[in-house]
Amino acid sequence: MTARRSRIPATKYPVERFTLDNGLRVVLTPDRSAPVIGVAVVYDVGIRSEPEGRTGFAHLFEHLMFQGSENLEKLAHFRHVQGAGGTFNGSTHLDYTDYFETLPSNALERALFLEADRMRGPRLTEENLRNQVDVVKEEIRVNVLNRPYGGFPWLTLPPVMFDTFPNAHDGYGSFDDLESATVADAADFFRRYYASGNAVLAVSGDIDVAEATELVNRHFGDVPARPAPERPDFTEPDLTAERRTAYTDALAPLPAVAGAWRVPDPVTDFAGYLPYVVLAEVLTDGDASRLVERLVQRDRTVTSLGGYLGFMGDPFDVRDPTALLLQAHLPPGGDVDKVLRTIDEELDRLASDGLTDGELARTQARMATHLLRDTDAVLGRALRMAVLEQQRGEPGLLNELPRLVGEVTEEQVRAAAATLRPERRAAIEVIAGGVR
């Protein structure tokens, strides 16, 4: 055990945390190795927070946050970031929405001004709303409706596994709900969720902590204080019997299947959750992994296979309830039942016989490599720390993740595999309707 741990490298990124009087939490992580900064603002609102009748609203509002703000006209954010040689974007997740920039370090104050200005208030106009509804609808057409396997399985599997609206509904949204959105709805959503007390600002890279602290206070200190709303309890009971459904995808050339099992709470039971993160990689990461070796190489019952934690593939930035997912594409005429039976067999074999020599250490080394690579860039570091602060109050956990993954034992992985029983599984099958 000691020798194995010594091979898992660790990071020692410094972390400075403080909270402004208006409730905004701030994380600074300096790294003077290159003249680049990453700036991220994360709001504690995502797809699960959408009210019924307003599916897709969290993502729609993300778009509205780029349409001008208190002191900036439409498209000014784009011009100011790109004019400084930077890049920017935003994204909507189940439990949060983020906005971020990568810039030369001499543009730090510019980035802070831009983010503070839209935290005070985006330009919520009828013209902007209608325009962005059309943009989101086109995004849905491109990414879901007119794409083979569109929404599989991140949109199609949750309604099989879950019963409540927050966990089961379509996070992209229905056209009817999007078209019925009003400026008043957007203003209420902003007041409720885009409060300074509901946000985290993270800055990573070439910064002087004292100077950055002064700039943060200068630009965010007078943002009106609004407390974070009370977060609802989204928990649901685990499944006691298998749930399974199928649908025909008119564009899909090959059949596909995905299965999911509930896992421990990733925030309140992190020690119980981590073995499932490792298990997913043991099963599917690389040609030597359990299920790839069996299903792809030996049996040839599937053509591709993947496994991960979280419906959006985000094991360390998701709250409960979440799941371990396995998904596969099959050859023409493939037998979905046989694939699911084989997965059950391999899980049973892993639980009863354990791992082969070196299997766990190899997997943990690959996982550590991915974790280190993902946060090597300053923006990846800022985003990860912002979410860790928001969901756990522990941005420094970023430094510990490779070590913690390396400390998961074979017994823990076997015990996790033993819980992935057919009666706890939700599965969805894609029937190919497209031309091969």
Side-chain angles (χ1 to χ4, degrees), residues 145-157:
L145 301 180
N146 296 320
R147 171 179 292 187
Y149 313 103
F152 170 79
W154 79 276
L155 293 178
T156 55
L157 191 50

Side-chain angles (χ1 to χ4, degrees), residues 158-428:
V160 182
M161 169 163 272
F162 298 116
D163 295 319
T164 64
F165 174 82
N167 296 319
H169 78 275
D170 180 348
Y172 247 141
S174 73
F175 282 10
D176 286 344
D177 283 358
L178 291 168
E179 290 165 355
S180 65
T182 67
V183 173
D185 292 332
D188 181 68
F189 195 83
F190 175 78
R191 283 191 299 268
R192 179 183 297 271
Y193 295 111
Y194 277 71
S196 52
N198 206 38
V200 175
L201 164 69
V203 183
S204 174
D206 184 23
I207 58 172
D208 174 83
V209 170
E211 179 187 4
T213 300
E214 192 277 327
L215 290 173
V216 169
N217 275 283
R218 181 189 306 173
H219 290 285
F220 288 89
D222 64 349
V223 173
R226 301 201 313 278
E230 183 176 350
R231 188 174 182 276
D233 183 0
F234 296 130
T235 58
E236 289 193 35
D238 196 1
L239 300 184
T240 57
E242 183 179 20
R243 294 182 180 181
R244 185 169 165 186
T245 190
Y247 68 98
T248 299
D249 184 335
L251 300 177
L254 298 171
V257 65
W261 297 258
R262 291 280 298 277
V263 296
D265 188 317
V267 176
T268 63
D269 187 14
F270 193 50
Y273 173 78
L274 270 179
Y276 290 87
V277 181
V278 176
L279 172 62
E281 302 299 312
V282 167
L283 292 173
T284 65
D285 186 33
D287 291 343
S289 62
R290 289 287 177 119
L291 294 181
V292 172
E293 193 278 331
R294 172 74 188 273
L295 291 168
V296 178
Q297 298 177 351
R298 192 197 317 173
D299 295 354
R300 300 190 176 183
T301 51
V302 308
T303 57
S304 64
L305 182 75
Y308 46 93
L309 272 290
F311 288 91
M312 300 180 78
D314 44 9
F316 300 118
D317 56 5
V318 67
R319 292 185 174 114
D320 191 64
T322 188
L324 183 153
L325 283 80
L326 299 174
Q327 67 180 76
H329 291 80
L330 285 66
D335 187 339
V336 167
D337 289 326
K338 183 177 181 180
V339 170
L340 292 176
R341 285 196 305 271
T342 305
I343 290 173
D344 293 336
E345 290 173 10
E346 288 300 315
L347 288 169
D348 287 343
R349 187 166 70 89
L350 196 159
S352 60
D353 298 345
L355 289 88
T356 60
D357 185 45
E359 185 178 9
L360 180 58
R362 179 183 68 241
T363 301
Q364 289 167 320
R366 288 170 65 101
M367 294 178 70
T369 298
H370 295 320
L371 287 168
L372 294 167
R373 183 184 61 198
D374 289 346
T375 55
D376 183 56
V378 290
L379 180 59
R381 212 174 306 155
L383 285 166
R384 176 63 56 81
M385 284 196 178
V387 177
L388 290 173
E389 168 63 37
Q390 184 183 82
Q391 296 183 352
R392 304 167 184 271
E394 293 183 79
L397 183 63
L398 178 145
N399 289 318
E400 303 297 319
L401 286 175
R403 176 184 61 81
L404 293 172
V405 163
E407 290 177 351
V408 172
T409 67
E410 177 180 348
E411 291 72 23
Q412 290 175 307
V413 174
R414 292 175 63 178
T419 69
L420 304 190
R421 306 300 305 160
E423 61 270 16
R424 295 184 59 243
R425 178 172 59 212
I428 188 151

